[in-house]
Amino acid sequence: MMASSYSAKDEDGHITVTGPGGGTLRSKKPENTAFKQQRLPAWQPILTAGTVLPAFFIIGLIFIPIGIGLYVTSNNIKEFEIDYTGVDMSSPCFNCSHNFSWNSSRPCTCTIPFYLDQPYESNVFMYYGLSNFYQNHRRYVKSRDDSQLNGDTESLKKPSKECEPYAYHENKPIAPCGAIANSMFNDTLELFYNDPNGTKVPIPLTSTGIAWWTDKHVKFRNPGSNNPNLTAVFQGTTKPVNWHRPVYELDPDPENNGFINEDFIVWMRTAALPTFRKLYRIIQKKNNMVPTLPRGNYTLEVVYNYPVLSFEGRKRMILSTISWMGGKNPFLGIAYITVGSVCFFLGVVLLIIHHKYGNRNNSADISN
């Protein structure tokens, strides 16, 4: 059995251990410093009625007005929503929803009339929404190749194993690979204004500027950036199984084609919840004297390419304006009002308790 003895204690708090061979070892005891020995000066608040009660009232008086402002701002945002899933037999999209599948070669078109009871003044954002679609599933979220999407030519020909079983098709690499890209939303939505004189006026929809700047210019790039001919760049690859056309034919605009197509980029940013919406188009305001969308009758024309009944999903189109706090979301305002009201109520209750029992306790301490 090895014997050892303590010979000295260093000034920094370490203990020197002398072994049988004459060597010295240092123990694992922390250094004798204020930080490591927890001797630093500390501030510990003393909770008294004089500090707690004002804190509750201040929080309540600050949070309640902020919550009211957020709630009013959210309610001022105009929003209109149409469900075009086609579940009901009375829906114009009923036949499309029941007869169309991923393997269908001929597109199905349905037309949905609707009425806007108030004009939309500023820029209008057009969203598509899906329900019961779990983009947050672990295997689904991992089913992509970020190197391929960033323009790496080697990953283009040899997709990551994370993309399986959507990495290869008919012995050709899939571009873009993975389950996320394979299930990309591909309905075509067009909006028309029904003029009172009977003519249908198409609403111009902007397809660029809908993706995050960092996604468009950093995370997603086309391979062979110096070659504008995407057909040659993607030669030897094949489209995802559920796509109707290859990635290099998504848009005739070369700045919005291939992996940098903004519809594709928006879809690849997966949602955290099973019910979500994604930005589809922007309706730009062009004349300050005329509303972007005047009040009246409209028609939504849908090229029904995306079946959802197989997973009991729902599809909808949303028209919305925005404010400085983003889209319509009353939750934040309600949360601020609730927290502020609870704090103010607790402050009143504690004040009553302190006024009723605090003097009694002080009198008892004095008598003792």
Side-chain angles (χ1 to χ4, degrees):
M1 181 175 178
M2 182 182 298
S4 62
S5 61
Y6 293 102
S7 60
K9 182 176 181 180
D10 295 339
E11 293 182 358
D12 61 358
H14 284 95
I15 298 176
T16 303
V17 180
T18 304
T24 59
L25 299 174
R26 306 183 76 184
S27 73
K28 295 182 179 180
K29 180 180 178 180
E31 296 178 0
N32 187 22
T33 61
F35 178 75
K36 293 189 176 181
Q37 294 296 337
Q38 299 183 10
R39 294 195 301 268
L40 290 174
W43 176 75
Q44 184 176 358
I46 300 175
L47 301 179
T48 63
T51 58
V52 173
L53 292 178
F56 275 112
F57 285 118
I58 291 173
I59 293 174
L61 293 175
I62 293 177
F63 274 46
I64 291 176
I66 293 176
I68 293 174
L70 293 174
Y71 186 76
V72 171
T73 302
S74 177
N75 284 344
N76 288 335
I77 297 174
K78 299 176 182 178
E79 187 171 292
F80 182 83
E81 183 174 315
I82 294 180
D83 189 310
Y84 69 94
T85 309
V87 177
D88 300 329
M89 293 186 64
S90 60
S91 173
C93 296
F94 177 79
N95 292 331
C96 291
S97 64
H98 286 77
N99 298 329
F100 189 86
S101 65
W102 288 112
N103 298 324
S104 300
S105 57
R106 298 181 60 182
C108 183
T109 304
C110 57
T111 302
I112 306 171
F114 64 93
Y115 179 79
L116 288 182
D117 57 0
Q118 54 183 337
Y120 285 52
E121 302 291 344
S122 58
N123 290 344
V124 180
F125 295 82
M126 187 178 187
Y127 301 85
Y128 62 85
L130 294 176
S131 299
N132 205 36
F133 192 108
Y134 289 82
Q135 274 198 316
N136 58 355
H137 191 283
R138 183 181 63 85
R139 292 191 61 187
Y140 182 88
V141 172
K142 294 176 62 178
S143 185
R144 60 189 294 164
D145 189 341
D146 288 320
S147 297
Q148 184 191 68
L149 298 175
N150 196 243
D152 184 68
T153 53
E154 182 178 352
S155 299
L156 183 68
K157 303 298 182 181
K158 296 180 180 180
S160 169
K161 292 182 180 180
E162 298 287 356
C163 289
E164 295 291 350
Y166 301 105
Y168 294 89
H169 181 62
E170 297 178 349
N171 296 324
K172 289 184 178 181
I174 296 177
C177 70
I180 307 176
N182 186 65
S183 60
M184 176 182 168
F185 181 85
N186 60 348
D187 279 357
T188 301
L189 307 177
E190 294 182 330
L191 197 60
F192 296 88
Y193 172 65
N194 300 329
D195 196 86
N197 59 17
T199 59
K200 291 177 63 175
V201 181
I203 304 296
L205 306 176
T206 304
S207 59
T208 56
I210 61 175
W212 290 19
W213 188 92
T214 51
D215 289 348
K216 174 80 172 181
H217 297 90
V218 179
K219 294 181 65 176
F220 291 81
R221 296 175 183 172
N222 282 324
S225 56
N226 296 328
N227 188 352
N229 187 1
L230 292 183
T231 304
V233 171
F234 286 96
Q235 186 176 7
T237 65
T238 186
K239 65 179 181 63
V241 178
N242 289 338
W243 285 26
H244 296 151
R245 51 185 175 177
V247 67
Y248 51 83
E249 294 181 2
L250 291 180
D251 197 300
D253 182 7
E255 298 297 325
N256 193 39
N257 197 19
F259 288 161
I260 60 173
N261 177 263
E262 296 200 26
D263 286 324
F264 172 67
I265 294 174
V266 168
W267 177 258
M268 292 299 292
R269 180 168 284 278
T270 54
L273 300 174
T275 298
F276 59 87
R277 64 174 64 176
K278 292 179 182 287
L279 186 58
Y280 181 71
R281 294 292 182 266
I282 301 176
I283 306 173
Q284 301 281 358
K285 183 177 179 62
K286 296 183 178 180
N287 190 340
N288 292 330
M289 303 299 295
V290 180
T292 308
L293 293 179
R295 182 175 59 182
N297 294 303
Y298 290 83
T299 299
L300 175 66
E301 291 191 0
V302 180
V303 180
Y304 205 104
N305 295 321
Y306 202 78
V308 295
L309 294 185
S310 59
F311 57 88
E312 298 181 354
R314 308 281 292 194
K315 296 192 295 185
R316 61 196 188 278
M317 185 278 298
I318 304 105
L319 297 174
S320 176
T321 59
I322 64 171
S323 68
W324 59 269
M325 59 174 291
K328 191 179 185 69
N329 185 9
F331 172 77
L332 188 60
I334 295 174
Y336 266 88
I337 294 174
T338 302
V339 173
S341 300
V342 170
C343 288
F344 195 85
F345 175 75
L346 288 176
V348 173
V349 171
L350 293 176
L351 180 61
I352 295 174
I353 294 175
H354 175 67
H355 180 73
K356 186 175 181 180
Y357 297 102
N359 294 333
R360 183 183 303 176
N361 293 335
N362 293 335
S363 300
D365 293 337
I366 293 173
S367 62
N368 290 335

